[in-house]
Amino acid sequence: MSNSDFELQREQQFIDALYMRVDALRGDTEAGVTDALAQGNTPMQARLERDILVAERSGLLTALNAVDGSLCFGRIDLTSGDTHHIGRIGLRTDDAERTPILIDWRADVARPFYLATGHTPMGLRRRRHITTSGRTVTALHDEILDLGDRERTGHEDPTGDAVLLAALDAARTGRMHDIVQTIQAEQDEIIRAPHRGVLVVEGGPGTGKTAVALHRAAYLLYEHRELLAKRAVLIVGPNPAFLGYIGEVLPSLGETGVLLATVGELFPGVRATATDTRAAAAVKGRADMADVLADVVRDWQALPDPVIAIEHDREILMLDDGLVKVAREKTRAARLPHNVAREHFEGHILNTLTELYAERVGTDPYDGSSLLDESDITQIRDEIAENPEVWAAIDQLWPRLTPQRLVADFLADPVGHLPDEDAAAIRRPVTRAWTVSDVPLLDEAAELLGVDERVARALAERERETQVAYAQGVLDVSYASRTYEFEDKDEEDSEVLSAHDIIDAERFAERHEEDDHRSAAERAAADRTWAFGHIIVDEAQELSPMAWRLLMRRSPTRSMTLVGDPAQTAEAAGVGSWERILEPYVQDRWEHTRLGVNYRTPAEIMELAAAVVRAENPGFEPPSSVRSTGVRPWVRATDDLPGAVAEAVKELTPAEGRLAVIAPRHLHRRLAARLDGVTAGAEPDLTRTVVLLDPRQSKGLEFDSVLVVEPGLYGTSDLYVALTRATQRLGVLHTGRLPKALVTT
């Protein structure tokens, strides 16, 4: 047997033994969860322990299932003689010593796998990349780091780049793959950066900044498990297609306790389904909209026009604007949110009406002195508080508001709060669906309005009454079943206790409330005020100032990783500049790092894309591509756009992998009619061989081949994004004007 075959066989034996351990763990876990779930009627403490067991073992089972088939990917041989296998999760022996079998890639001992070089070997003599297909070892690639070591295995990789280049050239599947096997040194530094504070990761197309951000999330969850398991990690992406594209990365790394959302999904109970015009998005996203909404709230705190007459006990009490204005200013002086402050306003109005009534009926006609004592005044106030006309007046002057009502009414009639041009841009009917740009406005409105705890308590009490009634029904059914079961049995058997005998409906309802097995991420998704342990924002340059206000509320500790590229800013309300984003919240207390290597885009395509940006910004420097395919992009004119697109799709569609047709949205129906299996208007299914996207939908995605249609209709940043999505081949079709940078291609 050759040395090469021996090494393959040895690694296969290790993998086989590893999966024997995995299968045993999976069997133990499944059996343990089943046994624990079977213990349904246990005392409270035992039930709590059962719930913890289910959560822990289910978490392990999820991790094992997520990484099945690619569990181990590397080995490091130390000069000390020790050897460590590196994998997606850590595994130990089941004996008392708990000896590590597989080292988690996030552990400190695994760092040399990513950082060691021949110049700085970090105690390694050899680094091995293990490639598997399912549970079968298919290839080994060894890097010699100790040049004095004469041992050779027959799997030496002279450049050390074979695994990386193979991953870059692999056909795309429509889902992002993790890069845990190929993390580069500059990426590892970012992934393992300290948890606290704001870290900005800037990088051009293809630099792996999204993958780095996701692996950073996995690392932070590993390193700060106790904290982040409670507070959760939020990852914010630019659109639903992007979230679907990255959705399998963290599970493949054994992590599922993360909330992935767009800005349009961060207000519980609201889902943004409509689209704003560019002008409307720009207006809604401006920072001064916070002041505009504050003024809108103040406008709801009204004065009588000119007076409100209230009949009480055959007396007419007149609330004029002067009296109400005093009550309003006293209430505003407390600086409380609108709904919270309403209780104060109610008190002031009740006091005012009490004084009016007491003066009317309780004044001595001869000397003007009061005939009423303190108890009389209290009784009068209580009686006034029961008058429906009083509460109708309060509702008119200081109504309870929801964020949805406030924002919808404002957008229906914004005149008076904005310049005429801006008001015309955002005006829309009350019945219109919400847009992504509306969600930060709703969140701002929620802050301005607050929650009247009296209303919240009343709603909670009604919910509790419903739960108790349901619990009572369950117990009644149980009691009826028991009565029927024992009516033909002897007296001794009938003494057996049932649930009806040992628990009442209220306690039964409480136990139901305690059984909240939602993860921290699930609970966070339902709670607008949730404070996340860490927030990662992809395409961060695109978010508006109002969106940043929303996110900063969810990160009071300012523990954030922001990922993006100002050169790709396309949204009308996008801030673009890191300084302008962060200065209002952390001043200059943030770290900045830049990724400068392009792993996705071949040099031939990157040259063309960079020329587009340099036409506006001559000093622009794109990231450096690590590879060249020898295939140059092409640009063609056509008089039959749908027909030319159909032919180009046949030409560019890879034997394996994915093709994206990127075109302006208004052309999608015409193009889809000529493309088999492609539909326009629906959320794109990125796993299909051919997908149709607009430039904004393509942000953050990558495909084997890309066809860009009508580039003259794009802005510079949109065109730069579209041109840099391909890993292999790029074509451009146009009927009209062509950007200058593409003319000579």
Side-chain angles (χ1 to χ4, degrees):
M1 179 185 296
S2 69
N3 198 33
S4 174
D5 291 339
F6 173 76
E7 289 294 327
L8 275 171
Q9 186 181 60
R10 186 168 67 164
E11 291 297 355
Q12 185 63 61
Q13 288 172 347
F14 172 80
I15 295 294
D16 290 341
L18 181 66
Y19 277 106
M20 287 179 64
R21 169 69 175 147
V22 168
D23 290 339
L25 277 172
R26 182 179 284 112
D28 290 346
T29 299
E30 290 174 338
V33 170
T34 301
D35 291 345
L37 289 173
Q39 300 169 23
N41 298 316
T42 59
M44 184 62 68
Q45 182 61 35
R47 189 168 64 86
L48 180 60
E49 292 173 357
R50 180 206 75 201
D51 292 345
I52 293 172
L53 175 66
V54 170
E56 289 179 346
R57 291 187 172 178
S58 295
L60 175 61
L61 187 59
T62 299
L64 290 174
N65 290 338
V67 301
D68 192 19
S70 56
L71 190 58
C72 175
F73 55 80
R75 192 183 88 185
I76 51 177
D77 297 349
L78 283 64
T79 54
S80 65
D82 292 334
T83 296
H84 299 302
H85 280 87
I86 312 299
R88 297 172 185 277
I89 61 175
L91 290 174
R92 295 177 177 269
T93 59
D94 207 18
D95 53 23
E97 286 76 18
R98 301 284 291 158
T99 305
I101 304 173
L102 188 66
I103 303 296
D104 192 300
W105 67 275
R106 296 164 287 191
D108 284 341
V109 72
R111 287 207 77 182
F113 183 80
Y114 300 109
L115 300 183
T117 65
H119 184 266
T120 309
M122 300 178 69
L124 300 191
R125 65 181 185 88
R126 181 188 307 273
R127 170 171 48 215
R128 168 170 290 176
H129 293 269
I130 302 171
T131 303
T132 58
S133 176
R135 301 186 178 192
T136 302
V137 177
T138 58
L140 304 177
H141 295 86
D142 287 345
E143 297 175 62
I144 306 300
L145 300 173
D146 179 1
L147 299 181
D149 184 357
R150 299 301 179 186
E151 180 186 348
R152 294 295 180 265
T153 65
H155 296 282
E156 281 71 28
D157 176 7
T159 66
D161 293 332
V163 174
L164 173 62
L165 293 176
L168 299 179
D169 288 331
R172 270 44 192 172
T173 64
R175 293 288 182 263
M176 176 181 276
H177 294 294
D178 63 73
I179 60 169
V180 67
Q181 293 174 261
T182 59
I183 294 172
Q184 303 300 293
E186 65 170 356
Q187 298 171 331
D188 186 80
E189 292 292 336
I190 296 169
I191 289 169
R192 299 174 191 264
H195 166 229
R196 297 295 184 182
V198 177
L199 175 65
V200 173
V201 182
E202 184 177 330
T207 54
K209 54 187 180 295
T210 296
V212 167
L214 294 171
H215 287 69
R216 176 162 169 74
Y219 172 76
L220 293 176
L221 284 163
Y222 170 85
E223 191 71 7
H224 307 281
R225 178 74 63 189
E226 184 174 351
L227 170 65
L228 296 183
K230 294 177 182 176
R231 303 309 313 162
V233 173
L234 169 65
I235 296 179
V236 179
N239 55 60
F242 174 84
L243 295 181
Y245 176 65
I246 68 172
E248 296 178 3
V249 173
L250 285 167
S252 76
L253 299 174
E255 298 294 347
T256 56
V258 177
L259 176 62
L260 277 67
T262 66
V263 170
E265 296 168 328
L266 288 177
F267 193 89
V270 167
R271 184 60 59 96
T273 58
T275 303
D276 269 320
T277 64
R278 186 173 177 83
V283 173
K284 292 177 183 179
R286 291 194 319 232
D288 63 3
M289 285 300 296
D291 295 328
V292 170
L293 287 176
D295 289 339
V296 172
V297 172
R298 291 171 69 88
D299 281 354
W300 280 92
Q301 299 162 3
L303 296 175
D305 183 22
V307 68
I308 296 177
I310 298 173
E311 182 179 355
H312 182 71
D313 198 18
R314 296 187 298 278
E315 296 287 341
I316 303 298
L317 306 178
M318 309 296 285
L319 272 178
D320 59 33
D321 61 349
L323 292 173
V324 174
K325 187 173 184 179
V326 170
R328 185 175 72 173
E329 294 310 311
K330 287 181 178 179
T331 303
R332 286 176 174 175
R335 297 185 178 278
L336 295 170
H338 174 87
N339 288 334
V340 179
R342 175 177 157 123
E343 184 175 4
H344 294 256
F345 183 75
E346 294 169 1
H348 291 309
I349 293 298
L350 289 174
N351 290 341
T352 298
L353 292 172
T354 299
E355 291 172 6
L356 290 175
Y357 185 80
E359 183 179 351
R360 187 82 57 83
V361 303
T363 302
D364 191 311
Y366 297 105
D367 59 13
S369 62
S370 176
L371 301 175
L372 305 173
D373 59 21
E374 186 174 339
S375 63
D376 295 326
I377 298 296
T378 300
Q379 182 177 348
I380 290 171
R381 192 182 189 280
D382 291 343
E383 291 171 352
I384 288 176
E386 295 178 358
N387 187 334
E389 291 188 26
V390 173
W391 293 104
I394 291 173
D395 286 339
Q396 177 182 336
L397 300 170
W398 198 289
R400 289 190 182 93
L401 297 170
T402 65
Q404 289 90 330
R405 179 184 178 188
L406 181 81
V407 174
D409 284 6
F410 162 65
L411 294 176
D413 185 17
V415 176
H417 294 284
L418 292 169
D420 290 346
E421 183 178 356
D422 292 344
I426 69 171
R427 183 186 290 111
R428 71 171 195 221
V430 173
T431 55
R432 178 85 178 274
W434 299 110
T435 70
V436 171
S437 300
D438 293 334
V439 169
L441 301 186
L442 291 167
D443 197 71
E444 189 72 29
E447 288 292 306
L448 293 167
L449 296 176
V451 177
D452 187 336
E453 290 299 327
R454 297 171 301 167
V455 176
R457 285 194 296 270
L459 291 173
E461 183 58 32
R462 281 204 293 272
E463 175 64 22
R464 176 171 172 74
E465 289 173 357
T466 301
Q467 292 290 344
V468 170
Y470 174 79
Q472 186 63 58
V474 172
L475 292 174
D476 289 345
V477 170
S478 171
Y479 181 74
S481 299
R482 173 181 173 274
T483 302
Y484 176 79
E485 180 182 353
F486 287 112
E487 61 184 10
D488 293 330
K489 296 189 177 182
D490 59 34
E491 184 175 345
E492 182 177 349
D493 287 338
S494 67
E495 292 300 316
V496 176
L497 295 177
S498 71
H500 199 284
D501 299 311
I502 61 177
I503 192 170
D504 61 18
E506 290 198 8
R507 181 56 186 150
F508 192 33
E510 288 174 6
R511 288 184 60 171
H512 177 74
E513 292 170 2
E514 291 166 1
D515 287 335
D516 185 354
H517 296 303
R518 293 179 301 169
S519 68
E522 290 169 331
R523 285 182 281 119
D527 184 354
R528 190 194 70 82
T529 63
W530 189 274
F532 288 91
H534 194 80
I535 295 179
I536 294 174
V537 185
D538 206 323
E539 302 294 350
Q541 77 282 349
E542 300 286 13
L543 269 60
S544 70
M546 288 301 293
W548 282 112
R549 288 176 66 87
L550 178 155
L551 287 179
M552 290 298 176
R553 291 188 190 105
R554 285 151 176 77
S555 181
T557 61
R558 302 294 188 260
S559 179
M560 308 179 83
T561 302
L562 312 183
V563 179
D565 179 14
Q568 297 184 60
T569 305
E571 295 294 339
V575 177
S577 163
W578 303 121
E579 289 79 7
R580 288 199 299 272
I581 290 172
L582 294 171
E583 195 278 333
Y585 305 102
V586 295
Q587 289 80 49
D588 60 353
R589 300 188 303 276
W590 50 281
E591 299 292 329
H592 178 273
T593 187
R594 182 173 179 82
L595 294 168
V597 179
N598 186 335
Y599 299 98
R600 174 206 304 144
T601 317
E604 295 84 355
I605 296 177
M606 200 64 217
E607 180 184 345
L608 178 67
V612 169
V613 182
R614 288 197 184 106
E616 287 189 1
N617 179 9
F620 174 71
E621 286 297 329
S624 302
S625 297
V626 299
R627 65 197 176 102
S628 173
T629 61
V631 180
R632 299 199 62 81
W634 52 257
V635 178
R636 299 172 187 164
T638 180
D639 294 328
D640 175 16
L641 189 63
V645 167
E647 289 301 315
V649 165
K650 294 177 182 177
E651 175 185 345
L652 290 172
T653 300
E656 296 181 4
R658 301 294 180 270
L659 164 69
V661 178
I662 303 177
R665 182 64 66 91
H666 71 273
L667 296 176
H668 281 200
R669 291 193 179 280
R670 287 177 57 202
L671 300 182
R674 298 292 296 272
L675 300 175
D676 293 339
V678 175
T679 57
E683 197 64 42
D685 178 0
L686 299 178
T687 64
R688 298 186 69 87
T689 302
V690 179
V691 295
L692 180 60
L693 308 168
D694 65 35
R696 304 291 171 84
Q697 289 176 310
S698 73
K699 290 184 77 71
L701 309 181
E702 60 182 38
F703 304 89
D704 300 87
S705 301
V706 169
L707 178 64
V708 176
V709 180
E710 296 289 27
L713 301 180
Y714 300 1
T716 298
S717 60
D718 280 341
L719 182 54
Y720 181 55
V721 168
L723 293 173
T724 54
R725 299 305 96 195
T727 66
Q728 302 293 337
R729 304 170 69 194
L730 171 68
V732 179
L733 282 174
H734 68 101
T735 61
R737 183 182 67 85
L738 196 63
K740 182 179 178 181
L742 302 183
V743 171
T744 57
T745 301

